[in-house]
Amino acid sequence: MSFAWVRKLFSTKSRRSFPEEGDSGPVARELKAQKTMVPRRPRFLPASYKEGKSLGLRPISSSTKDWPLLWDTGYAEVINAQKSVTNEDQAVCCHINIRTTRLQMDIEEASKVNPEKCVTACYWALFDGHGGPVAATLAAQYLHFCIKQKLEEIMEGIDGPHPPMHLTARRLYKSDPEFVKEKGISQEHVVIGALESAFQECDEMIGQEMTLGSQADGCTSLVAFCLQRKLYIANAGDSRALLIQKQSLLQLSTEFTPELERKRIQHLAFIYPTLLAGEFTRFEFPRRLKRDELGQKVLYRDYYMDGWGYKTVDEADLRYPLIHGQGRTTRLLGTLAVSRGLGDHHLKVFESDVAVKPFLSCIPEVKVLDLSAMDFLEDDVLIMATDGLWDVLCNEEVARITRSFLNDNRVDPSRFSELAARLVHLARGSFSEQQWILDNNSPASYDDISVFVIPLLRHRGHDT
């Protein structure tokens, strides 16, 4: 998808034109000024919801029966404790109507839906912003359009268990289907490729938008996407998706941190050492080295190593490490705690000209759950949440709370929204003596917290 395509789509919806590069007229100046956008809360939250502005005021907002979400999904959120002026998280829950035939049409015709030529997918997404709210807001606006467009390009190829070699009716070689089978390429692999391409396209679009507004923030992205009774979990960042059933729980996402992706990041610095600008060392050491250790042999690790070795310390080893810290304190270039996400195109290391973006990946890890092969019960749910929840609650605690709450609230029609609010409340804690604390008096989450609770049994009534 080109950026021009999305410009035309949104201008068709709004009857306004985006400025072209180089435009300097009054319309261009007005629209470019709007690039410093004011983030809005998800459209399905109550219109009366106001974000708290003081340290001790963090109201929880949740979805209501007045705006029911897909599959009776529950949602709740709370703003951070004055880490930023606004809530930098964004959430989306919607249907995506995907055309099953590729037609050449103008952009107004493309925005119309013909039910006979469409399949309907279900889409949930959480975007956790860092450094500002703009990237998350743009991702919430654009990513599902990118996914729709990428899937429409390949829908003719996923009718059967194995996609055709050529996306045309013509088969050039009789042996092509056998080659596809030998490679193990299935229908879901093509959908995964479309999701990966959509994230890539969305990241490029965000970069172009943020260049116009001179913004440098970014966001993580966690998506659940249901198409043809398969649930795809696509994650780029440190939010988490957790499947909770009566007797089991299964984490369906990986949190991508500099520590986890050390090898990839170090290898990139090995191939392109100029990215470090002589200010960082790619080697990992147990701690920051000091000048009196020059000439000594110390433990170190490079991109090709799972284990540790010894090297003689030279002057370059005294530079700040490319990846430094332990656990939650680990930072990439001393700046970011995540290694995947969208945006950050103009992010530089503090008081430096070293760019962070080359070391980040916008490509998600995608995991697939075949819903038709699973026997779900009424209380089986998928929990999607930003890291503000997981910073203080582990998988087992969330599973225990979820099972207990749903078992005690079997007839409440709003129980999934109330469960989402309950999880947010427990992670936010209560305000006492100028600090937020949990029930056990340990520190609560000071971050933005956003939670989806998706009841999986409901998919039977919403088959796509």
Side-chain angles (χ1 to χ4, degrees):
M1 181 195 300
S2 67
F3 184 54
W5 190 94
V6 174
R7 283 184 175 186
K8 290 178 181 177
L9 177 62
F10 277 87
S11 63
T12 296
K13 291 177 177 290
S14 63
R15 299 297 173 190
R16 299 183 71 181
S17 298
F18 279 81
E20 299 298 331
E21 291 187 17
D23 285 357
S24 58
V27 173
R29 287 196 296 271
E30 176 192 351
L31 290 173
K32 286 180 180 178
Q34 292 177 5
K35 298 304 177 184
T36 308
M37 60 176 60
V38 177
R40 296 178 297 177
R41 302 320 307 142
R43 57 187 299 189
F44 49 77
L45 288 180
S48 60
Y49 170 47
K50 301 290 185 181
E51 292 181 346
K53 295 297 182 183
S54 66
L55 178 62
L57 182 61
R58 298 173 69 192
I60 296 171
S61 182
S62 59
S63 53
T64 69
K65 61 182 180 181
D66 296 328
W67 194 310
L69 302 183
L70 305 179
W71 300 6
D72 296 325
T73 292
Y75 174 80
E77 66 171 38
V78 71
I79 193 173
N80 61 79
Q82 291 193 321
K83 288 176 60 180
S84 61
V85 175
T86 61
N87 189 331
E88 295 180 348
D89 286 359
Q90 288 289 336
V92 182
C93 178
C94 65
H95 286 112
I96 301 179
N97 293 302
I98 304 163
R99 295 195 307 272
T100 57
T101 55
R102 298 194 307 170
L103 301 174
Q104 296 297 322
M105 58 183 70
D106 62 37
I107 201 68
E108 288 206 45
E109 187 67 22
S111 65
K112 299 176 182 177
V113 175
N114 182 344
E116 296 180 358
K117 297 179 180 179
C118 287
V119 296
T120 300
C122 297
Y123 173 86
W124 300 261
L126 292 175
F127 305 99
D128 185 352
H130 50 257
V134 178
T137 303
L138 290 171
Q141 291 177 351
Y142 289 158
L143 183 56
H144 53 299
F145 285 103
C146 295
I147 291 173
K148 170 185 167 69
Q149 199 266 346
K150 288 299 178 183
L151 285 169
E152 286 178 349
E153 292 178 359
I154 57 93
M155 283 302 292
E156 292 175 284
I158 60 173
D159 288 338
H162 297 283
M165 180 80 170
H166 297 274
L167 200 59
T168 61
R170 182 185 178 192
R171 182 188 299 176
L172 298 183
Y173 299 99
K174 291 183 178 180
S175 58
D176 280 349
E178 295 303 317
F179 283 108
V180 173
K181 288 181 181 179
E182 286 178 7
K183 284 285 188 181
I185 304 173
S186 66
Q187 175 196 75
E188 65 185 46
H189 289 121
V190 179
V191 176
I192 290 172
L195 291 171
E196 292 167 333
S197 297
F199 271 67
Q200 174 73 39
E201 292 276 7
C202 186
D203 186 58
E204 293 178 3
M205 291 160 53
I206 289 172
Q208 293 182 57
E209 283 269 1
M210 296 184 74
T211 296
L212 292 173
S214 300
Q215 284 111 358
D217 57 281
C219 69
T220 65
S221 177
L222 174 64
V223 167
F225 179 78
C226 185
L227 177 66
Q228 297 174 337
R229 302 194 71 182
K230 289 188 177 179
L231 187 65
Y232 298 83
I233 306 296
N235 185 48
D238 59 356
S239 294
R240 188 182 304 175
L242 183 66
L243 171 64
I244 300 175
Q245 297 182 274
K246 186 174 183 179
Q247 301 294 337
S248 66
L249 67 156
L250 177 65
Q251 186 171 321
L252 293 174
S253 61
T254 301
E255 281 128 66
F256 289 99
T257 64
E259 207 170 23
L260 180 69
E261 296 203 278
R262 172 187 61 83
K263 284 186 174 183
R264 175 185 69 79
I265 294 168
Q266 285 182 316
H267 191 227
L268 187 64
F270 169 73
I271 298 174
Y272 302 105
T274 55
L275 292 175
L276 301 180
E279 296 185 32
F280 293 84
T281 174
R282 77 170 189 270
F283 299 119
E284 180 185 10
F285 302 99
R287 60 164 171 77
R288 182 85 183 272
L289 298 183
K290 300 178 181 179
R291 181 159 295 279
D292 60 5
E293 292 174 291
L294 283 170
Q296 302 295 314
K297 282 195 172 183
V298 300
L299 285 166
Y300 86 108
R301 196 157 57 164
D302 202 356
Y303 70 88
Y304 55 85
M305 302 168 70
D306 284 319
W308 292 78
Y310 285 92
K311 77 179 298 289
T312 301
V313 178
D314 59 30
E315 191 73 29
D317 296 327
L318 302 182
R319 298 168 183 163
Y320 199 87
L322 172 61
I323 298 171
H324 185 60
Q326 185 71 28
R328 292 178 187 170
T329 65
T330 304
R331 294 293 183 269
L332 169 63
L333 294 168
T335 304
L336 278 186
V338 294
S339 56
R340 297 198 192 190
L342 305 174
D344 293 309
H345 293 77
H346 306 289
L347 180 63
K348 300 289 182 70
V349 175
F350 182 65
E351 294 186 344
S352 166
D353 201 40
V354 177
V356 178
K357 182 65 174 177
F359 296 97
L360 303 176
S361 172
C362 64
I363 306 303
E365 176 190 61
V366 183
K367 295 184 179 180
V368 186
L369 203 63
D370 187 349
L371 300 182
S372 63
M374 303 186 71
D375 294 322
F376 290 114
L377 301 176
E378 179 68 23
D379 292 349
D380 293 344
V381 295
L382 178 71
I383 304 290
M384 294 172 61
T386 53
D387 66 326
L389 180 79
W390 310 109
D391 283 347
V392 295
L393 296 177
C394 68
N395 290 352
E396 291 73 20
E397 288 174 308
V398 171
R400 176 182 54 79
I401 295 162
T402 296
R403 292 172 184 140
S404 175
F405 184 92
L406 293 178
N407 184 65
D408 294 342
N409 295 270
R410 292 196 170 277
V411 297
D412 187 344
S414 302
R415 65 196 193 119
F416 299 111
S417 289
E418 291 177 8
L419 171 58
R422 176 64 177 162
L423 290 170
V424 170
H425 173 79
L426 289 172
R428 182 204 63 177
S430 57
F431 191 69
S432 175
E433 298 181 357
Q434 298 301 304
Q435 61 180 338
W436 289 92
I437 58 173
L438 301 178
D439 291 343
N440 61 6
N441 290 323
S442 62
S445 176
Y446 275 60
D447 201 356
D448 301 314
I449 308 170
S450 301
V451 177
F452 274 125
V453 178
I454 306 172
L456 295 174
L457 185 63
R458 299 296 198 275
H459 84 88
R460 293 181 180 175
H462 300 78
D463 286 345
T464 56

